[in-house]
Amino acid sequence: MKVPILIPNIFDYPFTYDSDNLNLKLGDYVKVPFGKSNLVGVVWNDFETKKKKTFLIKKVISKLNIPSLDENTINFFNLFSLYNLVPKGMALKMSFISGNVVEHMDSKNFKKFQTKFKNKVFHLSQEQNKALLQLEKENEKFKVHVLQGTTGSGKTIVYFKVIKNLIKKGRQALIMLPEIGLTKQFEEKFKQFFGFNPAIWHSGITKKNKKIIWNGILTEKIKVVIGARSALFLPFKNLGSIIVDEEHDQSYKQDEGVIYNARDMAILRASFHKIPIYLITAVPSLETFENINSQKYQVTKILNRFKNASLPEYEIIDLNRERLESKTWISKDIIRKVENHLKKNDQILFFLNRRGFAPFVFCKKCLNKYMCPNCSINLVYHKNNQNLLCHYCGFKCNLNRKCAKDGICDLIFSGPGVERIADEIKKKFPKQNQIIFSSDTMNKKNSSEILEKIINNKISILIGTQLISKGFHFPNLNCIVVVDLDLSSHGHDLRGVEKNLQLYHQLSGRAGRTGKPAKVYFQTYNLNKKLILDITNKNPEVFLKKELDIRKKNNLPPFERFVSLIITSTDENKLQKESLKFKNYLQSKLNHLVLGPVNAPIYKIRKNFRTRLLVRGKKTLQLQNSLNISIKNFKFDKGIKLLVDVDPINFN
Ligand SMILES: [Zn+2]
Ligand SMILES: [Zn+2]
């Protein structure tokens, strides 16, 4: 009997093998000879159709003694591959662990995941109860249901209840979170509610843990996974529901390697499994908002905050009115206000979305700006590490640089980062405990200790980057100062304004979570009152509606499909030539608009020069289909790489 076997590698089709007495069926994991070695592959659902030269058909060596890959998952991988223009073998590879599978796992490894529910009762408010009823309606089939609730309104407990009822029916659940590195708080909440451990899945867990979870998911010994994007490729055997928490978060988009949007692909996977998927958010993304409007998605809203806490009040501090002292960034007005908050024992957050001490470094003598040698990006001065760092490629160097004039460069540090604001605060509030909350300080081993201190109000002032907007619950945080409300949407970023809305909404959601009145102050030079009002409006749907109208008028996503083609090479001349050739070729093959090539806004990253093309078309798979065929038939010159980004979010 001939069987198609998909191998986890770069091929877009299964290979044909022979098996006489193994009685293979769809989804079986098998060992097969491939090239000079033996590999694990999966019995796939279609044969390679392209006629090839006849070659020797090899025999399947053995069938592995583990449950087969679910047919729904196979169908999902096939469409994932078509939608994102990723070879099928690569989709399969993402569901393996370093190209392999896990056949045996001692049962003692699964003890802590055993589902034994606690009898603790969690009371829901009337609104939460109503939401629960709606979420559980018709949840035996595919539906996309948005649970929209103000930050701090108790959405998590509602979907925890949904999951609990599913587990009782023997089903599995996947909870996706955008920032998985700091899930300790979430994990604790889970344990308190369920009484057992969830499996935590992200790129940073140990290989041993990965093996345990992989095997446990396939053999149904593990019921719930909390995971980052990559958890979407786990071989669930009996998946009952997917939750995408903070669905609006743009980190669901994977921008490197295999490029895909994990939220959208989760919806695709749920549709194949015929199960409900719940999108959880305070302010939906534009796409989701449009899908609610057109009634493709259901929506349930929770309007009241926990203990009826109100959302913080906003106040704009016009920096044009007060001349700040040189090399300071905090106004006298703010200092007075913060002092008052400190008297009331409120915790304070100064927000600035810039890591390090200063974003620009110049030399007084030669006027050279310090740039990364590998990227067209300026180096950021990190005072705590005493070095200059590239935030793209990680290039580091010290401050001693030979000057083009003579001797060593004499440096000027321009603009503030969080470290510089921290220095200023140390001077202005010398008695207060303070900490920088950024990926430089919080992705370390002791981060859970720091979190503990913040929660217990042992730290009175935080200086934070965007990282802090991601779902943390700090009970005493009642005052937020946005150091520089920068609303300049950068020209190349279609979603600049939407990103700002989400950011400031999430950020203010961190304040006033336990009922005390809270304030958010925006320091700004920007006098675009209308834009500020839109962004700080307590009803964010006003803004979403306006933004959707603009998109519709201009045929922009989510009303049309964009596909970015990013062409890269270390050879600048060759890149320019090939990009133009490729554009002309595509234009002759496609019935779609092809724009470009243009140099990418960040023209060089990691020594690779980059140009971009943009293909626009209707929102059907026809666009991907014809692109797929065209790309396969185009032979790039050596040293040229092509990245395909379907539904791009970043245009850098
Ligand atoms: Zn760099
Ligand atoms: Zn110099």
Side-chain angles (χ1 to χ4, degrees):
M1 190 180 76
K2 289 193 174 55
V3 282
I5 310 272
L6 190 65
I7 307 288
N9 61 18
I10 54 162
F11 296 99
D12 196 25
Y13 46 84
F15 290 87
T16 304
Y17 283 85
D18 214 349
S19 94
D20 295 332
N21 44 16
L22 289 171
N23 210 356
L24 293 178
K25 59 179 192 324
L26 182 64
D28 280 340
Y29 289 93
V30 290
K31 190 169 273 174
V32 293
F34 189 83
K36 281 177 184 157
S37 53
N38 296 333
L39 292 177
V40 173
V42 174
V43 178
W44 217 246
N45 58 354
D46 53 354
F47 284 93
E48 157 68 341
T49 46
K50 264 187 265 162
K51 284 200 186 75
K52 289 233 165 152
K53 278 180 251 164
T54 47
F55 54 91
L56 186 72
I57 292 181
K58 293 178 181 171
K59 270 198 165 132
V60 175
I61 299 168
S62 62
K63 173 177 169 309
L64 304 190
N65 188 23
I66 42 173
S68 57
L69 185 63
D70 190 88
E71 187 181 354
N72 299 324
T73 311
I74 290 177
N75 291 331
F76 163 62
F77 286 164
N78 282 335
L79 200 58
F80 175 93
S81 141
L82 174 63
Y83 189 96
N84 298 297
L85 287 96
V86 170
K88 282 179 189 158
M90 289 304 284
L92 182 65
K93 192 179 178 191
M94 299 206 317
S95 82
F96 278 39
I97 297 168
S98 326
N100 222 324
V101 299
V102 189
E103 284 183 81
H104 304 288
M105 202 36 82
D106 204 291
S107 61
K108 70 172 196 287
N109 288 305
F110 300 114
K111 229 177 180 165
K112 64 175 182 174
F113 301 119
Q114 219 164 25
T115 48
K116 275 182 290 182
F117 293 111
K118 258 189 200 167
N119 277 327
K120 201 172 162 192
V121 183
F122 284 82
H123 284 292
L124 297 188
S125 70
Q126 215 180 353
E127 230 189 346
Q128 285 173 313
N129 260 320
K130 233 170 93 189
L132 177 63
L133 276 175
Q134 285 184 26
L135 258 52
E136 289 196 318
K137 222 186 263 173
E138 299 184 331
N139 71 351
E140 302 281 328
K141 58 178 193 191
F142 171 63
K143 65 163 178 175
V144 187
H145 200 132
V146 180
L147 178 59
Q148 186 184 344
T150 328
T151 45
S153 62
K155 302 183 286 282
T156 316
I157 296 295
V158 176
Y159 74 68
F160 274 180
K161 290 225 171 188
V162 176
I163 292 176
K164 191 172 175 180
N165 291 336
L166 275 166
I167 298 173
K168 281 182 180 162
K169 290 183 200 160
R171 309 297 297 269
Q172 294 171 305
L174 166 63
I175 302 174
M176 298 180 69
L177 295 181
E179 282 295 327
I180 203 80
L182 294 153
T183 44
K184 271 271 168 281
Q185 240 183 331
F186 190 86
E187 208 181 325
E188 278 311 310
K189 205 166 169 182
F190 183 97
K191 271 193 251 177
Q192 269 176 28
F193 182 90
F194 287 92
F196 60 89
N197 289 284
I200 306 285
W201 180 274
H202 54 86
S203 57
I205 62 169
T206 62
K207 198 165 172 190
K208 184 173 180 219
N209 272 328
K210 278 189 180 165
K211 286 179 168 180
I212 294 169
I213 295 170
W214 194 93
N215 185 278
I217 284 296
L218 188 66
T219 56
E220 293 185 64
K221 287 178 188 111
I222 290 176
K223 295 293 183 192
V224 189
V225 175
I226 297 176
R229 298 179 293 233
S230 54
L232 190 59
F233 299 91
L234 284 168
F236 288 94
K237 198 61 190 166
N238 190 6
L239 190 57
S241 177
I242 303 176
I243 310 273
V244 182
D245 205 344
E246 314 282 358
E247 70 84 23
H248 57 268
D249 198 302
Q250 299 188 338
S251 46
Y252 279 119
K253 178 84 186 195
Q254 169 134 327
D255 272 331
E256 285 189 347
V258 175
I259 299 176
Y260 64 97
N261 186 316
R263 176 202 57 211
D264 297 348
M265 292 303 111
I267 294 170
L268 191 66
R269 183 158 190 185
S271 76
F272 280 112
H273 288 265
K274 298 175 195 69
I275 55 171
I277 177 164
Y278 301 101
L279 307 182
I280 318 296
T281 186
V283 180
S285 63
L286 265 185
E287 304 89 86
T288 298
F289 187 65
E290 166 57 18
N291 283 322
I292 293 171
N293 285 345
S294 60
Q295 296 183 332
K296 273 191 209 146
Y297 296 176
Q298 299 175 36
V299 65
T300 297
K301 292 182 183 175
I302 305 181
L303 301 171
N304 292 315
R305 276 187 126 187
F306 178 69
K307 283 187 182 164
N308 281 325
S310 51
L311 277 172
E313 295 292 324
Y314 296 111
E315 195 175 326
I316 314 278
I317 311 290
D318 182 356
L319 289 178
N320 300 293
R321 284 208 193 149
E322 179 192 324
R323 227 187 127 78
L324 292 178
E325 272 170 56
S326 110
K327 288 182 189 163
T328 69
W329 285 269
I330 301 163
S331 65
K332 290 201 181 81
D333 204 5
I334 284 293
I335 290 169
R336 272 193 303 275
K337 288 178 196 292
V338 165
E339 273 167 355
N340 282 332
H341 279 281
L342 286 169
K343 273 181 208 150
K344 288 186 274 178
N345 234 350
D346 286 343
Q347 199 168 48
I348 318 285
L349 162 67
F350 284 88
F351 174 80
L352 180 72
N353 203 14
R354 262 186 239 133
R355 290 163 54 202
F357 184 86
F360 301 100
V361 183
F362 298 89
C363 167
K364 246 187 239 172
K365 296 186 286 186
C366 66
L367 302 175
N368 274 335
K369 191 156 112 186
Y370 277 39
M371 304 285 289
C372 176
N374 310 321
C375 315
S376 40
I377 280 285
N378 49 288
L379 292 171
V380 175
Y381 172 43
H382 283 247
K383 195 177 177 187
N384 292 345
N385 302 329
Q386 272 305 313
N387 63 16
L388 297 167
L389 179 66
C390 171
H391 286 178
Y392 267 85
C393 71
F395 171 87
K396 278 178 210 164
C397 66
N398 66 29
L399 294 157
N400 291 328
R401 191 173 282 195
K402 223 183 136 214
C403 188
K405 291 269 177 190
D406 67 308
I408 301 260
C409 278
D410 191 356
L411 302 179
I412 300 176
F413 301 113
S414 167
V418 278
E419 289 180 4
R420 199 167 206 173
I421 298 299
D423 275 6
E424 189 176 344
I425 285 164
K426 223 173 269 167
K427 279 181 207 138
K428 281 167 182 158
F429 305 97
K431 285 184 197 142
Q432 305 292 339
N433 276 328
Q434 64 167 59
I435 185 146
I436 294 175
F437 197 104
S438 75
S439 56
D440 297 302
T441 58
M442 291 308 290
N443 286 346
K444 304 266 163 65
K445 285 239 157 62
N446 63 346
S447 60
S448 47
E449 248 169 77
I450 300 177
L451 277 177
E452 197 76 14
K453 276 191 189 164
I454 301 174
I455 290 162
N456 296 324
N457 212 7
K458 298 251 163 67
I459 291 168
S460 37
I461 302 180
L462 313 171
I463 302 107
T465 62
Q466 188 168 3
L467 185 67
I468 208 162
S469 67
K470 309 263 177 181
F472 295 101
H473 178 70
F474 298 144
N476 300 294
L477 183 61
N478 289 316
C479 168
I480 296 179
V481 179
V482 175
V483 175
D484 180 14
L485 178 67
D486 177 17
L487 297 174
S488 50
S489 87
H490 304 280
H492 55 268
D493 196 344
L494 167 73
R495 294 169 188 257
V497 198
E498 184 192 356
K499 280 180 192 165
N500 275 328
L501 173 83
Q502 289 291 357
L503 172 63
Y504 292 116
H505 204 89
Q506 285 300 318
L507 190 65
S508 10
R510 297 309 110 216
R513 293 174 73 93
T514 43
K516 264 174 107 176
K519 269 256 159 118
V520 180
Y521 302 100
F522 293 99
Q523 290 197 131
T524 185
Y525 287 104
N526 190 317
L527 291 176
N528 188 344
K529 282 261 160 57
K530 208 171 100 357
L531 196 54
I532 295 175
L533 281 178
D534 276 351
I535 285 197
T536 55
N537 193 317
K538 284 198 181 155
N539 180 6
E541 293 188 7
V542 174
F543 169 83
L544 290 174
K545 277 198 187 103
K546 275 190 203 166
E547 186 69 14
L548 264 188
D549 283 346
I550 298 174
R551 301 276 184 95
K552 197 167 193 173
K553 230 182 267 164
N554 298 297
N555 277 327
L556 298 170
F559 299 99
E560 205 178 60
R561 174 153 298 141
F562 278 13
V563 179
S564 286
L565 302 169
I566 303 133
I567 310 152
T568 71
S569 174
T570 50
D571 183 335
E572 199 178 350
N573 284 330
K574 203 194 262 181
L575 173 72
Q576 296 292 350
K577 254 187 243 155
E578 284 287 299
S579 304
L580 204 60
K581 222 163 91 190
F582 184 48
K583 188 253 173 83
N584 291 335
Y585 164 81
L586 282 182
Q587 222 159 23
S588 69
K589 295 285 171 193
L590 300 175
N591 290 322
H592 304 275
L593 193 58
V594 185
L595 303 166
V598 293
N599 292 346
I602 303 176
Y603 185 39
K604 192 172 77 171
I605 294 181
R606 294 184 189 91
K607 294 199 162 83
N608 281 287
F609 296 93
R610 312 158 71 239
T611 60
R612 303 181 67 105
L613 295 174
L614 185 69
V615 186
R616 299 176 63 158
K618 289 222 172 68
K619 284 176 74 183
T620 62
L621 280 171
Q622 198 245 322
L623 175 56
Q624 278 104 320
N625 256 323
S626 39
L627 254 180
N628 203 6
I629 296 164
S630 315
I631 289 173
K632 271 182 191 155
N633 289 325
F634 186 84
K635 287 276 163 289
F636 277 111
D637 210 351
K638 255 215 282 192
I640 300 274
K641 252 181 86 181
L642 174 70
L643 284 169
V644 182
D645 184 352
V646 181
D647 307 326
I649 285 184
N650 289 313
F651 292 82
N652 47 15

